[in-house]
Amino acid sequence: MASTWRTLAASLSAGALLLTVFGCSPVDSTSSSSAQPSTTSSPSATTTPEPEPSQTAEEQQSTADMIGQAPEGAQDNALTVLDTLAVKGRAPKTGYSRDQFGAAWADVDHNGCDTRNDILNRDLTDKTYKANTHDCVVASGVLQDPYTGTRIDFVRGQDTSAAVQIDHVVALSDAWQKGAQQLTEDERRNLANDPYNLLAVDGPSNQRKSDGDAATWLPANTGFRCEYVARQIGVKQKYRLWVTQAEHDAMANVLATCPTQTIPADGGVITPVQAEQQPAQTVEPQPTQEVPTPQPAPTQEPALQPAQQDTNVYYKNCTAVRAAGKAPLHQGEPGYSSKLDRDGDGIACE
């Protein structure tokens, strides 16, 4: 009997081994119905993809932390980075609006202060603040304007605030036509509020620039052009934007005058702007000069004017002249007449 059981056990073990070799599991009852691999999938075997997880608070904070950071490769030579940017034609402006870049001057860094006042705080000196704003809203300050090289005294107010404006170094409309259409909504919002792309500048200069690129507008302050163009290159590198051929050539021409110019590493103006002020003029004291006493003008006798003949005086003859006590009459005197001056010497009734 024992030998029978041993024979049966050996047979079972051999069968299990054969099933394993041919890829069948002895405990999988569903696989035994089909020994050939099936080329169609059973509906019940289809797996539902897991939904993408939403962005975590840490990831959102990481996105906010990118605001203001220099692009990868900052401090690299600006000409070298320029050559890494794609050169393409300008895309249509179709669909552009300021709203594509989020609300204007959003508080993207969550510091409790809007972007405009963040930049005024960064770029102005001698600042005062509006009361009860926790030193956020700038009421006044001094800007050494990088675009004109002049000093601007900023005063917050309906009629005065526009003297200092916050410029997008790479204009949003220009960015839209050179790659920003492909950015995400968050990336566009970041571009519009990124301190790396923002400068406090002279308001009229910002208006003249409008949405121009380096091929159509450069700062009047020639000493700032290299840094200005280098920052545009840095912004375009950071946000994966391209340049047109004309823009590329204009940037290269500017940088040819400063071949060691590097990409800025952070926001704000790197090179201190010296306001072009007129040097004070020292007025040398003039030696005291004795002022001569004015002499009275010599009295001049009035020039004798020829008497105007009074046509209302008429003498019939010299007897009448003598009777009137006017004899002799001189030419030009009232009553003189050539008929009374018989010898024509200008004296009548002698």
Side-chain angles (χ1 to χ4, degrees):
M1 178 64 71
S3 62
T4 301
W5 284 110
R6 283 195 295 271
T7 301
L8 179 60
S11 298
L12 290 173
S13 297
L17 179 60
L18 288 172
L19 289 173
T20 303
V21 170
F22 284 101
C24 299
S25 171
V27 295
D28 186 3
S29 60
T30 61
S31 63
S32 61
S33 61
S34 177
Q36 300 296 325
S38 175
T39 57
T40 59
S41 299
S42 170
S44 62
T46 303
T47 57
T48 303
E50 293 294 328
E52 293 290 334
S54 59
Q55 192 177 36
T56 65
E58 291 78 8
E59 289 171 333
Q60 292 175 350
Q61 184 60 47
S62 177
T63 300
D65 289 343
M66 291 179 62
I67 300 300
Q69 290 183 359
E72 184 178 354
Q75 296 298 335
D76 285 350
N77 181 272
L79 276 168
T80 302
V81 178
L82 173 61
D83 288 338
T84 69
L85 300 181
V87 178
K88 302 181 184 180
R90 184 185 293 270
K93 197 175 178 179
T94 306
Y96 169 75
S97 71
R98 178 60 178 82
D99 293 341
Q100 294 283 3
F101 293 82
W105 309 136
D107 180 16
V108 294
D109 58 1
H110 310 297
N111 67 347
C113 194
D114 64 272
T115 301
R116 172 178 166 79
N117 280 291
D118 280 343
I119 302 304
L120 291 175
N121 267 295
R122 184 194 68 189
D123 292 352
L124 269 60
T125 59
D126 299 331
K127 299 179 291 288
T128 64
Y129 298 92
K130 185 177 179 180
N132 303 318
T133 63
H134 305 285
D135 290 350
C136 169
V137 179
V138 177
S140 66
V142 175
L143 174 68
Q144 303 296 345
D145 175 45
Y147 285 179
T148 62
T150 59
R151 169 186 169 128
I152 300 175
D153 294 315
F154 169 77
V155 177
R156 178 184 173 86
Q158 181 176 353
D159 299 326
T160 56
S161 289
V164 173
Q165 298 179 15
I166 309 303
D167 179 42
H168 290 95
V169 179
V170 172
L172 300 185
S173 173
D174 179 70
W176 178 260
Q177 297 174 81
K178 297 174 183 175
Q181 296 184 42
Q182 284 74 53
L183 298 179
T184 67
E185 183 178 340
D186 284 343
E187 286 175 324
R188 288 198 297 268
R189 182 193 57 148
N190 292 345
L191 170 60
N193 293 277
D194 192 340
Y196 190 75
N197 188 35
L198 298 172
L199 291 176
V201 300
D202 169 60
S205 295
N206 185 42
Q207 295 297 112
R208 285 190 292 271
K209 173 188 173 181
S210 186
D211 59 357
D213 59 20
T216 59
W217 187 90
L218 289 169
N221 179 16
T222 56
F224 185 68
R225 288 182 178 179
C226 287
E227 185 175 326
Y228 171 79
V229 165
R231 184 171 295 277
Q232 285 189 324
I233 294 170
V235 171
K236 296 208 167 187
Q237 179 196 36
K238 180 175 182 179
Y239 288 94
R240 308 182 304 282
L241 307 177
W242 68 75
V243 293
T244 64
Q245 188 63 59
E247 181 183 10
H248 175 280
D249 295 346
M251 289 175 162
N253 287 338
V254 170
L255 295 174
T257 67
C258 46
T260 60
Q261 175 71 48
T262 57
I263 298 297
D266 52 17
V269 176
I270 297 174
T271 305
V273 177
Q274 299 298 328
E276 295 178 357
Q277 298 176 341
Q278 295 295 328
Q281 297 182 352
T282 303
V283 179
E284 297 292 339
Q286 298 295 323
T288 303
Q289 296 180 351
E290 184 177 351
V291 180
T293 303
Q295 297 297 322
T299 304
Q300 294 182 351
E301 294 294 336
L304 293 176
Q305 299 293 331
Q308 299 296 322
Q309 183 174 358
D310 188 350
T311 58
N312 294 324
V313 178
Y314 172 76
Y315 297 107
K316 182 177 181 181
N317 50 39
C318 284
T319 300
V321 172
R322 293 186 183 99
K326 298 297 184 180
L329 279 175
H330 296 81
Q331 187 176 7
E333 289 180 347
Y336 173 84
S337 173
S338 59
K339 72 178 183 177
L340 300 175
D341 185 6
R342 295 186 182 274
D343 57 2
D345 64 351
I347 301 174
C349 307
E350 298 171 296

